Amino acid sequence: MRTAEAIRLVAAARTDADLFGTDQPARRYRELVAALHPDRLPADPAVRAEATDAFVQVTTRWRARQVTVLGDYRLGTPAYSGDLADLYDVGADRLLKLPRRPTDNDLMAREAHALRTIAERGDPRYLPYVPRLVEEFRHLDAATGAERRINVLATAPGLHDLDEVRRAYPDGLDGRDVAWMWRRLLVALGLAHQAGVVHGAVLPPHVLIEPDGHGVVLVDWCFSAPVGGTIPALVPGYDANWYPDEIPRKRPCGPGTDIAMASGCMSWLMGPRAPRELDAFARGCRQRALDARPDDAWRLLRELDEVLDRLYGPRTFRPFTLNP
């Protein structure tokens, strides 16, 4: 395996299976280490820097596969692989979030700060709409010296992200089903904005639903910022079309930043089935300029309810299933 090929493979791998394969993982590990080892790298400083970072990732992730205990937690196989971290089910509806790269420690710190701030300042009635930060701690890899920030999170079981929902309804969702998801997502945003926090990455994999009880939880606060701050990065795999202008342009964000992204998710869920009134409502939330968009999720929720009442009449519980 050539160095350039190894660098590309490491950069593209989101899970250990992507990186090491499932057939002969130990052999793949040895091939990667051989291709990326500092003693074999070319003189080009840029290539050496990329290869060194990839080498650290490979060795760190390989050792992490062998780790059985972190802090007070025993780890098995990752339950989920997120944008920048693997999540391990450690029991009691808790997930241990372990970043794959130490360079993402700052994003883990952002998540912990955001969840602490929301818990301290937010309305307790709505705290179940976001994960609860159980604890955070640091882990030092004795072999590599790499230090990682770890967050342990608690949330409701039986959740499904919007990507899964959209796959179940490839032709789009009925507006009546999207209505409860939209309403509850606005509650989650109202909770955060009231605490002075902007999520910054309201995208399909970060909006989780509980179908039977019509629950919604907004997860992955690693890209968050205070109101008026800037969002640190784009989520891998999502181009700028998913974002309002202020995020890729590194301009101050606000409640309207999240509202625009949430509206985009809801339009994407409905697809061609979007009623004209809901389509117009969503487009109004996605004006190009931040100061032209709605900036109060609670007021927007009341306006959405008025639109829904005109469309569908008084609210009634509509069962939802992921197996239509």
Side-chain angles (χ1 to χ4, degrees):
M1 183 182 297
R2 295 179 180 275
T3 298
E5 180 187 356
I7 291 172
R8 287 194 297 270
L9 178 60
V10 175
R14 296 192 60 184
T15 67
D16 284 352
D18 293 338
L19 185 58
F20 302 117
T22 57
D23 187 20
Q24 294 181 299
R27 179 179 177 180
R28 171 68 66 79
Y29 168 71
R30 291 193 296 270
E31 291 174 346
L32 288 167
V33 167
L36 298 168
H37 196 280
D39 292 343
R40 298 188 53 185
L41 299 181
D44 186 328
V47 175
R48 291 186 67 87
E50 279 190 288
T52 299
D53 181 62
F55 179 78
V56 171
Q57 289 187 57
V58 169
T59 55
T60 300
R61 289 176 68 169
W62 182 256
R63 289 189 176 93
R65 288 168 59 96
Q66 322 306 317
V67 172
T68 57
V69 177
L70 282 181
D72 296 327
Y73 302 95
R74 290 188 173 275
L75 306 187
T77 302
Y80 310 99
S81 288
D83 305 314
L84 52 91
D86 294 319
L87 290 92
Y88 296 83
D89 186 341
V90 292
D93 295 329
R94 297 179 179 185
L95 293 170
L96 183 146
K97 189 170 184 176
L98 178 67
R100 290 187 286 274
R101 306 196 315 174
T103 51
D104 288 329
N105 281 342
D106 61 324
L107 300 180
M108 298 291 289
R110 281 178 179 263
E111 176 172 69
H113 177 74
L115 293 178
R116 280 199 310 272
T117 301
I118 293 170
E120 291 167 0
R121 301 179 185 174
D123 189 323
R125 292 176 297 173
Y126 306 121
L127 290 180
Y129 286 78
V130 302
R132 177 171 62 88
L133 181 68
V134 176
E135 66 171 309
E136 55 178 318
F137 61 94
R138 298 174 184 267
H139 172 70
L140 183 67
D141 188 317
T144 65
E147 183 180 77
R148 287 194 189 84
R149 294 185 65 112
I150 294 171
N151 295 338
V152 180
L153 310 171
T155 190
L159 301 175
H160 306 266
D161 67 36
L162 294 189
D163 277 329
E164 189 175 348
V165 175
R166 192 66 169 86
R167 286 194 298 270
Y169 291 85
D171 297 325
L173 264 69
D174 189 299
R176 291 169 294 178
D177 294 317
V178 170
W180 64 262
M181 301 178 197
W182 203 339
R183 296 188 73 259
R184 284 157 178 76
L185 182 53
L186 286 174
V187 171
L189 295 180
L191 169 73
H193 299 161
Q194 192 172 46
V197 176
V198 175
H199 184 277
V202 186
L203 296 165
H206 302 158
V207 182
L208 308 185
I209 69 161
E210 194 284 298
D212 293 341
H214 286 190
V216 166
V217 181
L218 182 59
V219 302
D220 203 340
W221 292 78
C222 290
F223 301 89
S224 62
V227 171
T230 57
I231 303 304
L234 304 186
V235 174
Y238 286 86
D239 63 30
N241 292 329
W242 281 92
Y243 292 89
D245 278 356
E246 62 270 18
I247 293 183
R249 293 176 181 269
K250 296 293 183 183
R251 292 176 177 169
C253 61
T257 302
D258 286 340
I259 286 171
M261 297 189 77
S263 301
C265 286
M266 298 301 107
S267 292
W268 172 78
L269 277 180
M270 290 184 287
R273 298 186 65 183
R276 179 176 55 82
E277 295 87 346
L278 287 180
D279 181 61
F281 186 87
R283 283 189 283 105
C285 295
R286 298 199 304 273
Q287 300 290 328
R288 183 167 185 176
L290 176 60
D291 59 7
R293 292 179 224 135
D295 64 355
D296 185 329
W298 299 115
R299 184 167 64 240
L300 189 64
L301 175 58
R302 293 194 293 272
E303 293 174 7
L304 176 61
D305 281 344
E306 292 173 3
V307 175
L308 294 172
D309 187 65
R310 291 196 298 270
L311 266 176
Y312 303 120
R315 288 204 306 272
T316 59
F317 186 85
R318 175 180 165 89
F320 181 74
T321 175
L322 285 179
N323 300 299

mmCIF file with all atom_site columns, all heavy atoms in Angstrom, residues 49-69:
data_model
loop_
_atom_site.group_PDB
_atom_site.id
_atom_site.type_symbol
_atom_site.label_atom_id
_atom_site.label_alt_id
_atom_site.label_comp_id
_atom_site.label_asym_id
_atom_site.label_entity_id
_atom_site.label_seq_id
_atom_site.pdbx_PDB_ins_code
_atom_site.Cartn_x
_atom_site.Cartn_y
_atom_site.Cartn_z
_atom_site.occupancy
_atom_site.B_iso_or_equiv
_atom_site.pdbx_formal_charge
_atom_site.auth_seq_id
_atom_site.auth_comp_id
_atom_site.auth_asym_id
_atom_site.auth_atom_id
_atom_site.pdbx_PDB_model_num
ATOM 1   N N   . ALA A 1 49 ? 3.238   15.699 7.216  1.00 0.00 ? 49 ALA A N   1
ATOM 2   C CA  . ALA A 1 49 ? 2.262   16.112 8.230  1.00 0.00 ? 49 ALA A CA  1
ATOM 3   C C   . ALA A 1 49 ? 0.977   15.298 8.112  1.00 0.00 ? 49 ALA A C   1
ATOM 4   O O   . ALA A 1 49 ? 0.437   14.823 9.118  1.00 0.00 ? 49 ALA A O   1
ATOM 5   C CB  . ALA A 1 49 ? 1.962   17.602 8.079  1.00 0.00 ? 49 ALA A CB  1
ATOM 6   N N   . GLU A 1 50 ? 0.478   15.128 6.875  1.00 0.00 ? 50 GLU A N   1
ATOM 7   C CA  . GLU A 1 50 ? -0.748  14.339 6.665  1.00 0.00 ? 50 GLU A CA  1
ATOM 8   C C   . GLU A 1 50 ? -0.532  12.887 7.087  1.00 0.00 ? 50 GLU A C   1
ATOM 9   O O   . GLU A 1 50 ? -1.385  12.283 7.743  1.00 0.00 ? 50 GLU A O   1
ATOM 10  C CB  . GLU A 1 50 ? -1.143  14.376 5.189  1.00 0.00 ? 50 GLU A CB  1
ATOM 11  C CG  . GLU A 1 50 ? -1.890  15.612 4.755  1.00 0.00 ? 50 GLU A CG  1
ATOM 12  C CD  . GLU A 1 50 ? -2.446  15.453 3.361  1.00 0.00 ? 50 GLU A CD  1
ATOM 13  O OE1 . GLU A 1 50 ? -1.660  15.468 2.403  1.00 0.00 ? 50 GLU A OE1 1
ATOM 14  O OE2 . GLU A 1 50 ? -3.681  15.273 3.232  1.00 0.00 ? 50 GLU A OE2 1
ATOM 15  N N   . ALA A 1 51 ? 0.604   12.332 6.695  1.00 0.00 ? 51 ALA A N   1
ATOM 16  C CA  . ALA A 1 51 ? 0.872   10.931 6.996  1.00 0.00 ? 51 ALA A CA  1
ATOM 17  C C   . ALA A 1 51 ? 1.049   10.707 8.494  1.00 0.00 ? 51 ALA A C   1
ATOM 18  O O   . ALA A 1 51 ? 0.602   9.694  9.038  1.00 0.00 ? 51 ALA A O   1
ATOM 19  C CB  . ALA A 1 51 ? 2.120   10.469 6.238  1.00 0.00 ? 51 ALA A CB  1
ATOM 20  N N   . THR A 1 52 ? 1.687   11.644 9.159  1.00 0.00 ? 52 THR A N   1
ATOM 21  C CA  . THR A 1 52 ? 1.882   11.507 10.608 1.00 0.00 ? 52 THR A CA  1
ATOM 22  C C   . THR A 1 52 ? 0.552   11.537 11.340 1.00 0.00 ? 52 THR A C   1
ATOM 23  O O   . THR A 1 52 ? 0.300   10.741 12.254 1.00 0.00 ? 52 THR A O   1
ATOM 24  C CB  . THR A 1 52 ? 2.799   12.628 11.122 1.00 0.00 ? 52 THR A CB  1
ATOM 25  O OG1 . THR A 1 52 ? 4.077   12.522 10.471 1.00 0.00 ? 52 THR A OG1 1
ATOM 26  C CG2 . THR A 1 52 ? 2.981   12.525 12.634 1.00 0.00 ? 52 THR A CG2 1
ATOM 27  N N   . ASP A 1 53 ? -0.333  12.468 10.930 1.00 0.00 ? 53 ASP A N   1
ATOM 28  C CA  . ASP A 1 53 ? -1.659  12.525 11.544 1.00 0.00 ? 53 ASP A CA  1
ATOM 29  C C   . ASP A 1 53 ? -2.416  11.224 11.293 1.00 0.00 ? 53 ASP A C   1
ATOM 30  O O   . ASP A 1 53 ? -3.059  10.673 12.202 1.00 0.00 ? 53 ASP A O   1
ATOM 31  C CB  . ASP A 1 53 ? -2.448  13.703 10.970 1.00 0.00 ? 53 ASP A CB  1
ATOM 32  C CG  . ASP A 1 53 ? -3.826  13.823 11.579 1.00 0.00 ? 53 ASP A CG  1
ATOM 33  O OD1 . ASP A 1 53 ? -3.921  14.042 12.796 1.00 0.00 ? 53 ASP A OD1 1
ATOM 34  O OD2 . ASP A 1 53 ? -4.821  13.684 10.839 1.00 0.00 ? 53 ASP A OD2 1
ATOM 35  N N   . ALA A 1 54 ? -2.341  10.696 10.066 1.00 0.00 ? 54 ALA A N   1
ATOM 36  C CA  . ALA A 1 54 ? -3.012  9.433  9.747  1.00 0.00 ? 54 ALA A CA  1
ATOM 37  C C   . ALA A 1 54 ? -2.418  8.283  10.545 1.00 0.00 ? 54 ALA A C   1
ATOM 38  O O   . ALA A 1 54 ? -3.147  7.392  11.009 1.00 0.00 ? 54 ALA A O   1
ATOM 39  C CB  . ALA A 1 54 ? -2.898  9.151  8.243  1.00 0.00 ? 54 ALA A CB  1
ATOM 40  N N   . PHE A 1 55 ? -1.091  8.281  10.721 1.00 0.00 ? 55 PHE A N   1
ATOM 41  C CA  . PHE A 1 55 ? -0.425  7.225  11.493 1.00 0.00 ? 55 PHE A CA  1
ATOM 42  C C   . PHE A 1 55 ? -0.928  7.215  12.937 1.00 0.00 ? 55 PHE A C   1
ATOM 43  O O   . PHE A 1 55 ? -1.222  6.151  13.504 1.00 0.00 ? 55 PHE A O   1
ATOM 44  C CB  . PHE A 1 55 ? 1.090   7.447  11.464 1.00 0.00 ? 55 PHE A CB  1
ATOM 45  C CG  . PHE A 1 55 ? 1.891   6.443  12.241 1.00 0.00 ? 55 PHE A CG  1
ATOM 46  C CD1 . PHE A 1 55 ? 2.142   5.185  11.724 1.00 0.00 ? 55 PHE A CD1 1
ATOM 47  C CD2 . PHE A 1 55 ? 2.398   6.754  13.499 1.00 0.00 ? 55 PHE A CD2 1
ATOM 48  C CE1 . PHE A 1 55 ? 2.880   4.245  12.440 1.00 0.00 ? 55 PHE A CE1 1
ATOM 49  C CE2 . PHE A 1 55 ? 3.129   5.832  14.223 1.00 0.00 ? 55 PHE A CE2 1
ATOM 50  C CZ  . PHE A 1 55 ? 3.374   4.573  13.687 1.00 0.00 ? 55 PHE A CZ  1
ATOM 51  N N   . VAL A 1 56 ? -1.047  8.405  13.524 1.00 0.00 ? 56 VAL A N   1
ATOM 52  C CA  . VAL A 1 56 ? -1.546  8.502  14.902 1.00 0.00 ? 56 VAL A CA  1
ATOM 53  C C   . VAL A 1 56 ? -2.979  7.989  14.984 1.00 0.00 ? 56 VAL A C   1
ATOM 54  O O   . VAL A 1 56 ? -3.351  7.260  15.914 1.00 0.00 ? 56 VAL A O   1
ATOM 55  C CB  . VAL A 1 56 ? -1.460  9.953  15.406 1.00 0.00 ? 56 VAL A CB  1
ATOM 56  C CG1 . VAL A 1 56 ? -2.182  10.101 16.745 1.00 0.00 ? 56 VAL A CG1 1
ATOM 57  C CG2 . VAL A 1 56 ? -0.007  10.378 15.552 1.00 0.00 ? 56 VAL A CG2 1
ATOM 58  N N   . GLN A 1 57 ? -3.799  8.348  13.983 1.00 0.00 ? 57 GLN A N   1
ATOM 59  C CA  . GLN A 1 57 ? -5.185  7.868  13.981 1.00 0.00 ? 57 GLN A CA  1
ATOM 60  C C   . GLN A 1 57 ? -5.251  6.341  13.918 1.00 0.00 ? 57 GLN A C   1
ATOM 61  O O   . GLN A 1 57 ? -6.019  5.710  14.650 1.00 0.00 ? 57 GLN A O   1
ATOM 62  C CB  . GLN A 1 57 ? -5.939  8.451  12.793 1.00 0.00 ? 57 GLN A CB  1
ATOM 63  C CG  . GLN A 1 57 ? -6.252  9.918  12.888 1.00 0.00 ? 57 GLN A CG  1
ATOM 64  C CD  . GLN A 1 57 ? -7.147  10.330 11.749 1.00 0.00 ? 57 GLN A CD  1
ATOM 65  O OE1 . GLN A 1 57 ? -8.239  9.789  11.556 1.00 0.00 ? 57 GLN A OE1 1
ATOM 66  N NE2 . GLN A 1 57 ? -6.694  11.282 10.953 1.00 0.00 ? 57 GLN A NE2 1
ATOM 67  N N   . VAL A 1 58 ? -4.445  5.757  13.016 1.00 0.00 ? 58 VAL A N   1
ATOM 68  C CA  . VAL A 1 58 ? -4.469  4.298  12.843 1.00 0.00 ? 58 VAL A CA  1
ATOM 69  C C   . VAL A 1 58 ? -4.042  3.595  14.127 1.00 0.00 ? 58 VAL A C   1
ATOM 70  O O   . VAL A 1 58 ? -4.721  2.671  14.599 1.00 0.00 ? 58 VAL A O   1
ATOM 71  C CB  . VAL A 1 58 ? -3.555  3.883  11.670 1.00 0.00 ? 58 VAL A CB  1
ATOM 72  C CG1 . VAL A 1 58 ? -3.353  2.369  11.659 1.00 0.00 ? 58 VAL A CG1 1
ATOM 73  C CG2 . VAL A 1 58 ? -4.155  4.334  10.349 1.00 0.00 ? 58 VAL A CG2 1
ATOM 74  N N   . THR A 1 59 ? -2.921  4.015  14.698 1.00 0.00 ? 59 THR A N   1
ATOM 75  C CA  . THR A 1 59 ? -2.431  3.333  15.899 1.00 0.00 ? 59 THR A CA  1
ATOM 76  C C   . THR A 1 59 ? -3.364  3.554  17.084 1.00 0.00 ? 59 THR A C   1
ATOM 77  O O   . THR A 1 59 ? -3.594  2.639  17.881 1.00 0.00 ? 59 THR A O   1
ATOM 78  C CB  . THR A 1 59 ? -1.016  3.812  16.244 1.00 0.00 ? 59 THR A CB  1
ATOM 79  O OG1 . THR A 1 59 ? -1.007  5.243  16.372 1.00 0.00 ? 59 THR A OG1 1
ATOM 80  C CG2 . THR A 1 59 ? -0.026  3.414  15.167 1.00 0.00 ? 59 THR A CG2 1
ATOM 81  N N   . THR A 1 60 ? -3.926  4.768  17.173 1.00 0.00 ? 60 THR A N   1
ATOM 82  C CA  . THR A 1 60 ? -4.837  5.058  18.281 1.00 0.00 ? 60 THR A CA  1
ATOM 83  C C   . THR A 1 60 ? -6.111  4.231  18.167 1.00 0.00 ? 60 THR A C   1
ATOM 84  O O   . THR A 1 60 ? -6.580  3.645  19.154 1.00 0.00 ? 60 THR A O   1
ATOM 85  C CB  . THR A 1 60 ? -5.175  6.558  18.307 1.00 0.00 ? 60 THR A CB  1
ATOM 86  O OG1 . THR A 1 60 ? -3.975  7.316  18.486 1.00 0.00 ? 60 THR A OG1 1
ATOM 87  C CG2 . THR A 1 60 ? -6.130  6.878  19.460 1.00 0.00 ? 60 THR A CG2 1
ATOM 88  N N   . ARG A 1 61 ? -6.670  4.169  16.944 1.00 0.00 ? 61 ARG A N   1
ATOM 89  C CA  . ARG A 1 61 ? -7.909  3.420  16.775 1.00 0.00 ? 61 ARG A CA  1
ATOM 90  C C   . ARG A 1 61 ? -7.689  1.925  16.932 1.00 0.00 ? 61 ARG A C   1
ATOM 91  O O   . ARG A 1 61 ? -8.573  1.209  17.431 1.00 0.00 ? 61 ARG A O   1
ATOM 92  C CB  . ARG A 1 61 ? -8.532  3.745  15.414 1.00 0.00 ? 61 ARG A CB  1
ATOM 93  C CG  . ARG A 1 61 ? -9.093  5.159  15.356 1.00 0.00 ? 61 ARG A CG  1
ATOM 94  C CD  . ARG A 1 61 ? -9.618  5.542  14.005 1.00 0.00 ? 61 ARG A CD  1
ATOM 95  N NE  . ARG A 1 61 ? -10.811 4.793  13.636 1.00 0.00 ? 61 ARG A NE  1
ATOM 96  C CZ  . ARG A 1 61 ? -11.573 5.109  12.597 1.00 0.00 ? 61 ARG A CZ  1
ATOM 97  N NH1 . ARG A 1 61 ? -11.276 6.157  11.857 1.00 0.00 ? 61 ARG A NH1 1
ATOM 98  N NH2 . ARG A 1 61 ? -12.636 4.385  12.296 1.00 0.00 ? 61 ARG A NH2 1
ATOM 99  N N   . TRP A 1 62 ? -6.524  1.452  16.524 1.00 0.00 ? 62 TRP A N   1
ATOM 100 C CA  . TRP A 1 62 ? -6.237  0.032  16.714 1.00 0.00 ? 62 TRP A CA  1
ATOM 101 C C   . TRP A 1 62 ? -6.142  -0.309 18.193 1.00 0.00 ? 62 TRP A C   1
ATOM 102 O O   . TRP A 1 62 ? -6.698  -1.313 18.651 1.00 0.00 ? 62 TRP A O   1
ATOM 103 C CB  . TRP A 1 62 ? -4.942  -0.348 15.990 1.00 0.00 ? 62 TRP A CB  1
ATOM 104 C CG  . TRP A 1 62 ? -4.613  -1.804 16.113 1.00 0.00 ? 62 TRP A CG  1
ATOM 105 C CD1 . TRP A 1 62 ? -3.669  -2.376 16.914 1.00 0.00 ? 62 TRP A CD1 1
ATOM 106 C CD2 . TRP A 1 62 ? -5.259  -2.891 15.436 1.00 0.00 ? 62 TRP A CD2 1
ATOM 107 N NE1 . TRP A 1 62 ? -3.680  -3.741 16.775 1.00 0.00 ? 62 TRP A NE1 1
ATOM 108 C CE2 . TRP A 1 62 ? -4.646  -4.086 15.870 1.00 0.00 ? 62 TRP A CE2 1
ATOM 109 C CE3 . TRP A 1 62 ? -6.286  -2.954 14.498 1.00 0.00 ? 62 TRP A CE3 1
ATOM 110 C CZ2 . TRP A 1 62 ? -5.022  -5.339 15.405 1.00 0.00 ? 62 TRP A CZ2 1
ATOM 111 C CZ3 . TRP A 1 62 ? -6.673  -4.202 14.035 1.00 0.00 ? 62 TRP A CZ3 1
ATOM 112 C CH2 . TRP A 1 62 ? -6.045  -5.374 14.482 1.00 0.00 ? 62 TRP A CH2 1
ATOM 113 N N   . ARG A 1 63 ? -5.459  0.529  18.946 1.00 0.00 ? 63 ARG A N   1
ATOM 114 C CA  . ARG A 1 63 ? -5.346  0.272  20.393 1.00 0.00 ? 63 ARG A CA  1
ATOM 115 C C   . ARG A 1 63 ? -6.702  0.402  21.071 1.00 0.00 ? 63 ARG A C   1
ATOM 116 O O   . ARG A 1 63 ? -7.000  -0.323 22.021 1.00 0.00 ? 63 ARG A O   1
ATOM 117 C CB  . ARG A 1 63 ? -4.334  1.231  21.016 1.00 0.00 ? 63 ARG A CB  1
ATOM 118 C CG  . ARG A 1 63 ? -2.897  0.920  20.630 1.00 0.00 ? 63 ARG A CG  1
ATOM 119 C CD  . ARG A 1 63 ? -1.908  1.746  21.439 1.00 0.00 ? 63 ARG A CD  1
ATOM 120 N NE  . ARG A 1 63 ? -0.540  1.369  21.129 1.00 0.00 ? 63 ARG A NE  1
ATOM 121 C CZ  . ARG A 1 63 ? 0.218   1.948  20.220 1.00 0.00 ? 63 ARG A CZ  1
ATOM 122 N NH1 . ARG A 1 63 ? -0.272  2.970  19.532 1.00 0.00 ? 63 ARG A NH1 1
ATOM 123 N NH2 . ARG A 1 63 ? 1.452   1.550  19.983 1.00 0.00 ? 63 ARG A NH2 1
ATOM 124 N N   . ALA A 1 64 ? -7.520  1.343  20.567 1.00 0.00 ? 64 ALA A N   1
ATOM 125 C CA  . ALA A 1 64 ? -8.851  1.513  21.163 1.00 0.00 ? 64 ALA A CA  1
ATOM 126 C C   . ALA A 1 64 ? -9.700  0.258  21.010 1.00 0.00 ? 64 ALA A C   1
ATOM 127 O O   . ALA A 1 64 ? -10.555 -0.036 21.839 1.00 0.00 ? 64 ALA A O   1
ATOM 128 C CB  . ALA A 1 64 ? -9.568  2.713  20.534 1.00 0.00 ? 64 ALA A CB  1
ATOM 129 N N   . ARG A 1 65 ? -9.448  -0.501 19.937 1.00 0.00 ? 65 ARG A N   1
ATOM 130 C CA  . ARG A 1 65 ? -10.165 -1.759 19.749 1.00 0.00 ? 65 ARG A CA  1
ATOM 131 C C   . ARG A 1 65 ? -9.835  -2.769 20.839 1.00 0.00 ? 65 ARG A C   1
ATOM 132 O O   . ARG A 1 65 ? -10.610 -3.658 21.147 1.00 0.00 ? 65 ARG A O   1
ATOM 133 C CB  . ARG A 1 65 ? -9.806  -2.374 18.385 1.00 0.00 ? 65 ARG A CB  1
ATOM 134 C CG  . ARG A 1 65 ? -10.386 -1.664 17.203 1.00 0.00 ? 65 ARG A CG  1
ATOM 135 C CD  . ARG A 1 65 ? -9.745  -2.146 15.917 1.00 0.00 ? 65 ARG A CD  1
ATOM 136 N NE  . ARG A 1 65 ? -9.902  -3.574 15.702 1.00 0.00 ? 65 ARG A NE  1
ATOM 137 C CZ  . ARG A 1 65 ? -10.846 -4.141 14.959 1.00 0.00 ? 65 ARG A CZ  1
ATOM 138 N NH1 . ARG A 1 65 ? -11.741 -3.375 14.381 1.00 0.00 ? 65 ARG A NH1 1
ATOM 139 N NH2 . ARG A 1 65 ? -10.902 -5.443 14.801 1.00 0.00 ? 65 ARG A NH2 1
ATOM 140 N N   . GLN A 1 66 ? -8.632  -2.621 21.403 1.00 0.00 ? 66 GLN A N   1
ATOM 141 C CA  . GLN A 1 66 ? -8.198  -3.563 22.413 1.00 0.00 ? 66 GLN A CA  1
ATOM 142 C C   . GLN A 1 66 ? -8.598  -3.117 23.828 1.00 0.00 ? 66 GLN A C   1
ATOM 143 O O   . GLN A 1 66 ? -8.518  -3.893 24.769 1.00 0.00 ? 66 GLN A O   1
ATOM 144 C CB  . GLN A 1 66 ? -6.656  -3.730 22.367 1.00 0.00 ? 66 GLN A CB  1
ATOM 145 C CG  . GLN A 1 66 ? -6.050  -3.731 20.967 1.00 0.00 ? 66 GLN A CG  1
ATOM 146 C CD  . GLN A 1 66 ? -6.669  -4.739 20.035 1.00 0.00 ? 66 GLN A CD  1
ATOM 147 O OE1 . GLN A 1 66 ? -6.919  -5.865 20.427 1.00 0.00 ? 66 GLN A OE1 1
ATOM 148 N NE2 . GLN A 1 66 ? -6.911  -4.336 18.787 1.00 0.00 ? 66 GLN A NE2 1
ATOM 149 N N   . VAL A 1 67 ? -8.992  -1.826 23.954 1.00 0.00 ? 67 VAL A N   1
ATOM 150 C CA  . VAL A 1 67 ? -9.323  -1.297 25.280 1.00 0.00 ? 67 VAL A CA  1
ATOM 151 C C   . VAL A 1 67 ? -10.644 -1.874 25.759 1.00 0.00 ? 67 VAL A C   1
ATOM 152 O O   . VAL A 1 67 ? -11.616 -1.936 25.010 1.00 0.00 ? 67 VAL A O   1
ATOM 153 C CB  . VAL A 1 67 ? -9.409  0.242  25.218 1.00 0.00 ? 67 VAL A CB  1
ATOM 154 C CG1 . VAL A 1 67 ? -9.953  0.800  26.527 1.00 0.00 ? 67 VAL A CG1 1
ATOM 155 C CG2 . VAL A 1 67 ? -8.030  0.827  24.955 1.00 0.00 ? 67 VAL A CG2 1
ATOM 156 N N   . THR A 1 68 ? -10.698 -2.302 26.992 1.00 0.00 ? 68 THR A N   1
ATOM 157 C CA  . THR A 1 68 ? -11.948 -2.813 27.556 1.00 0.00 ? 68 THR A CA  1
ATOM 158 C C   . THR A 1 68 ? -12.493 -1.896 28.641 1.00 0.00 ? 68 THR A C   1
ATOM 159 O O   . THR A 1 68 ? -13.672 -1.967 28.959 1.00 0.00 ? 68 THR A O   1
ATOM 160 C CB  . THR A 1 68 ? -11.732 -4.215 28.152 1.00 0.00 ? 68 THR A CB  1
ATOM 161 O OG1 . THR A 1 68 ? -10.702 -4.173 29.131 1.00 0.00 ? 68 THR A OG1 1
ATOM 162 C CG2 . THR A 1 68 ? -11.369 -5.207 27.068 1.00 0.00 ? 68 THR A CG2 1
ATOM 163 N N   . VAL A 1 69 ? -11.659 -1.031 29.191 1.00 0.00 ? 69 VAL A N   1
ATOM 164 C CA  . VAL A 1 69 ? -12.102 -0.164 30.282 1.00 0.00 ? 69 VAL A CA  1
ATOM 165 C C   . VAL A 1 69 ? -11.585 1.251  30.047 1.00 0.00 ? 69 VAL A C   1
ATOM 166 O O   . VAL A 1 69 ? -10.408 1.457  29.751 1.00 0.00 ? 69 VAL A O   1
ATOM 167 C CB  . VAL A 1 69 ? -11.594 -0.665 31.647 1.00 0.00 ? 69 VAL A CB  1
ATOM 168 C CG1 . VAL A 1 69 ? -12.019 0.296  32.757 1.00 0.00 ? 69 VAL A CG1 1
ATOM 169 C CG2 . VAL A 1 69 ? -12.111 -2.059 31.942 1.00 0.00 ? 69 VAL A CG2 1
#
